[in-house]
Amino acid sequence: MKYYSTRDKTTAVPFSVAALNGLAADGGLFIPQEIPQFAPAVKNSLGSMGFADIAFETIRPYVHEDIPDSVLGNMVESAFTFSAPLVPVHDRFMLELFHGPTAAFKDFGARFMARCFAYLRRNEDRELHILVATSGDTGGAVADGFYGVEGIRVTVLYPKGRVSPLQERQIAGLGGNVSAIAVEGSFDDCQRLVKSAFVHPELNRKMNLSSANSINISRLLPQAVYYVAASGLAKSGRYSEDGQATPRLRGKAEEQQVVRDGRLGKDVLFCVPSGNFGNLTAGLYAQAMGAPIAGFIAATNINKTVPAYLASGVYEPRSSVATISNAMDVGAPSNFERMTAHWSYEDLRATISGFWVDDDKTRLTIQRVFDQTGYVLDPHGAVGWNAVDQWIHTKTDPENHLHGFSGPVVVLGTAHPAKFAETVEPLVGSVPVPPSLAQAMERTVQSVTIRADVSALVETLLS
Ligand SMILES: *Cc1c(COP(=O)(O)O)cnc(C)c1O
């Protein structure tokens, strides 16, 4: 498989170049030349395959020229050491993607990307130094993903005093090959400092700098895996019992509804709480490969650029607005360019419908779902849940997306509610903290504080 830039479909590069460079030289995003298809034997047995086997089959055609099968097998085994349970709640399923070390779905992408980098750079002597700016969530997942990976150092820049105490411990509590810098300034300052570091002559002479940003193809591909796995399970009627970290405080009364009422054997509708639209793009790859997926609901908060585009056909990026589902506060989604390089407006409209949800409705949804079922949604999952409710209301319209659909509906749970306790607990009471977050809370913050100034950053990195 070769990859080309969304802006230039004539020059193709191997997976290793696309992954290690992140962004194409012309500023475009890397996309695969074609989307491979599952063999019929694989397609027919998705419901009974293990997660690591599905991961192997899903990722292999994209990388096999650069990563031998035995290596890929080890990579997926060691990256995905946690489960992605499909939990029935009321009339739908929650796909819980928050059982990894930082309790958000970004662990899937970050952990696989780290292993790719380590393997693809196995013959390099020079240490690779990854710089990341974070407003909170990404930094923790990248730090954790790369922690202990040989030949790679990570430095995370975060705005001092503007991340939660938990996030600060996830970013700055690991030590080892992960360093943290608290910048006296905003997230934008952190981003600006990272960008200046990449063009700083002395720094680049002395260090081999790289980024690990969210548009990296090696972060996207592993996200297709859970769509393939979950659609296979839902279609064949398999689902998970509540596990140790399932955020359900009481009650399991209504949940059998979802498996009783004849939805089995049908393709699946996924609802994806979205910001930069990497997660939804990965779902489109899974569907195009042949996973049993009927379509998608794109759920956003008030940053509704993509739902507005799906409604009007006009793409109007805007500046982002702060909300309680802050990992989705994106006004100009970076993966939009990737989606539209593969699919036309008509293609996208035939598969995706978009809905947006404001903060008041998000809070009401958390409260109502808790009252009815005992299940605790985080603010991002609640946006997804409410979008499904809106879609159900419009479903009777024969003009509508997936009119007459009667298969299983799966909402992606992108973060554990304990990660957003300050929003969730006033609505539902205290939320038990999963073991990975409890462990992170025990760590000591080890960060250096600097002024929001390039010379201060350079001095710290070179010291
Ligand atoms: C990053 C993130 C999202 C948005 O995902 P995209 O791939 O950027 O659309 C949603 N929810 C949570 C909790 C996240 O961390």
Side-chain angles (χ1 to χ4, degrees):
M1 179 73 70
K2 294 281 190 288
Y3 292 79
Y4 49 51
S5 162
T6 47
R7 299 181 191 176
D8 172 10
K9 299 191 178 169
T10 58
T11 358
V13 300
F15 173 74
S16 52
V17 172
L20 291 174
N21 290 7
L23 208 62
D26 60 9
L29 280 66
F30 285 113
I31 54 174
Q33 264 179 325
E34 63 190 322
I35 296 185
Q37 301 294 305
F38 286 121
V42 172
K43 215 163 127 171
N44 295 332
S45 50
L46 289 175
S48 55
M49 285 165 71
F51 194 87
D53 290 337
I54 291 182
F56 179 85
E57 294 293 342
T58 305
I59 300 173
R60 181 181 182 277
Y62 293 97
V63 304
H64 74 102
E65 289 154 26
D66 293 68
I67 304 177
D69 287 356
S70 59
V71 175
L72 180 63
N74 290 334
M75 281 166 72
V76 298
E77 293 269 356
S78 72
F80 310 129
T81 48
F82 44 91
S83 62
L86 187 65
V87 176
V89 182
H90 189 52
D91 61 347
R92 58 199 80 165
F93 291 99
M94 289 301 296
L95 176 58
E96 296 186 347
L97 300 175
F98 46 69
H99 296 291
T102 72
F105 81 90
K106 290 189 173 68
D107 285 329
F108 286 90
R111 288 171 66 87
F112 185 77
M113 174 169 62
R115 283 159 181 78
C116 277
F117 272 51
Y119 177 74
L120 297 172
R121 300 191 71 263
R122 66 197 176 283
N123 296 325
E124 305 274 333
D125 300 330
R126 230 175 138 206
E127 189 179 63
L128 186 72
H129 198 136
I130 292 176
L131 288 184
V132 209
T134 186
S135 58
D137 260 7
T138 301
V142 170
D144 204 279
F146 282 95
Y147 179 60
V149 174
E150 245 172 82
I152 298 179
R153 278 210 68 77
V154 176
T155 300
V156 184
L157 280 73
Y158 65 98
K160 189 178 170 74
R162 298 194 198 184
V163 302
S164 74
L166 172 63
Q167 286 172 326
E168 186 167 30
R169 285 169 177 77
Q170 289 180 327
I171 295 164
L174 288 168
N177 63 325
V178 178
S179 319
I181 298 181
V183 175
E184 290 174 330
S186 66
F187 168 60
D188 292 333
D189 290 321
C190 297
Q191 237 175 351
R192 179 175 52 80
L193 290 187
V194 167
K195 281 189 184 148
S196 338
F198 284 123
V199 296
H200 192 278
E202 188 194 355
L203 212 51
N204 277 277
R205 231 179 10 257
K206 297 192 172 157
M207 284 183 167
N208 189 10
L209 294 176
S210 176
S211 74
N213 55 31
S214 65
I215 45 83
N216 196 299
I217 190 74
S218 69
R219 252 176 92 169
L220 195 80
L221 297 175
Q223 292 179 11
V225 175
Y226 44 74
Y227 290 95
V228 178
S231 57
L233 287 175
K235 184 163 182 169
S236 61
R238 290 166 198 249
Y239 60 93
S240 311
E241 298 295 337
D242 285 15
Q244 192 193 7
T246 301
R248 184 169 351 228
L249 300 185
R250 56 168 170 72
K252 293 182 73 172
E254 293 163 294
E255 71 206 34
Q256 298 307 321
Q257 184 186 339
V258 75
V259 279
R260 255 198 270 109
D261 65 2
R263 294 170 198 210
L264 305 182
K266 298 192 175 124
D267 287 1
V268 175
L269 172 64
F270 281 104
C271 176
V272 189
S274 295
N276 267 320
F277 279 78
N279 211 1
L280 190 92
T281 305
L284 290 168
Y285 280 28
Q287 184 187 36
M289 292 179 79
I293 300 173
F296 298 89
I297 295 172
T300 70
N301 57 33
I302 192 145
N303 296 285
K304 56 183 174 185
T305 305
V306 171
Y309 161 79
L310 290 167
S312 70
V314 183
Y315 180 66
E316 287 180 289
R318 36 198 113 185
S319 358
S320 65
V321 177
T323 74
I324 57 170
S325 49
N326 55 25
M328 312 198 300
D329 292 350
V330 180
S334 52
N335 276 286
F336 184 79
E337 182 167 335
R338 195 174 251 145
M339 288 163 71
T340 48
H342 282 295
W343 295 284
S344 70
Y345 173 66
E346 286 71 28
D347 294 339
L348 293 174
R349 262 199 62 125
T351 294
I352 311 171
S353 57
F355 294 94
W356 62 276
V357 183
D358 67 21
D359 279 356
D360 284 348
K361 288 220 184 65
T362 305
R363 286 199 181 85
L364 281 172
T365 303
I366 293 172
Q367 215 154 29
R368 188 171 46 77
V369 171
F370 176 68
D371 289 345
Q372 288 177 354
T373 70
Y375 191 87
V376 184
L377 294 166
D378 96 291
H380 306 80
V383 166
W385 188 286
N386 186 283
V388 170
D389 290 345
Q390 294 183 50
W391 170 79
I392 288 172
H393 282 298
T394 63
K395 205 170 70 156
T396 47
D397 179 348
E399 293 290 293
N400 234 296
H401 174 241
L402 294 180
H403 170 70
F405 175 82
S406 60
V409 177
V410 177
V411 180
L412 268 54
T414 50
H416 193 284
K419 236 185 150 170
F420 297 91
E422 65 290 351
T423 303
V424 174
E425 291 197 331
L427 302 167
V428 308
S430 102
V431 180
V433 175
S436 64
L437 295 185
Q439 251 174 35
M441 282 310 284
E442 300 288 305
R443 296 187 195 130
T444 321
V445 170
Q446 323 161 41
S447 61
V448 184
T449 298
I450 65 167
R451 303 184 309 282
D453 181 294
V454 189
S455 59
L457 175 63
V458 172
E459 195 182 307
T460 309
L461 289 175
L462 291 177
S463 67

